[in-house]
Amino acid sequence: MQEELIEEVINIEKQAKELKNSTVKEIEELEEKYQQRMDKEKKLKLAKAKQDGQELVEKKQANAEKFADNLTEESKKEIKAIESDYQKIKDDLLNDFFKRIISSGR
């Protein structure tokens, strides 16, 4: 009877070790799967962030180019207005200068 009990205890210990080993192996497999899933998710999020960042940079660049174009156009308009004012003043000054020369010569 004791031998049977001892054999039964030994069998139970073997089964417990086998169960422990299979559980450890199962846990390791699950950890590996979750790690792979997390790595994949990380790659996807990084790719998405990179794409979003690239789109943002492109949008900012387009806005900067529009601003530069508008600024250039406004500068051209201002330069034309200044040149026009300059020509008017120049003509007026030349006329005045010639009038003084003509009147001083009399």
Side-chain angles (χ1 to χ4, degrees), residues 7-71:
E7 284 182 31
E8 196 63 36
V9 169
I10 291 172
N11 284 336
I12 290 173
E13 283 183 22
K14 283 182 183 179
Q15 289 175 352
K17 283 182 182 180
E18 289 173 4
L19 182 61
K20 179 184 174 190
N21 289 338
S22 70
T23 303
V24 167
K25 185 178 178 180
E26 188 177 328
I27 289 171
E28 288 172 352
E29 289 173 353
L30 285 173
E31 285 176 345
E32 186 177 337
K33 284 182 183 179
Y34 283 119
Q35 186 63 45
Q36 289 174 351
R37 185 182 290 169
M38 288 189 314
D39 291 344
K40 183 178 177 182
E41 188 68 26
K42 181 179 177 182
K43 285 180 184 178
L44 291 173
K45 286 184 178 183
L46 285 173
K48 175 73 171 133
K50 184 177 179 181
Q51 180 182 357
D52 291 348
Q54 185 64 32
E55 289 173 2
L56 183 60
V57 166
E58 289 171 0
K59 184 178 179 181
K60 292 287 185 181
Q61 184 176 0
N63 287 341
E65 288 172 358
K66 281 182 188 177
F67 179 77
D69 290 343
N70 289 340
L71 192 60

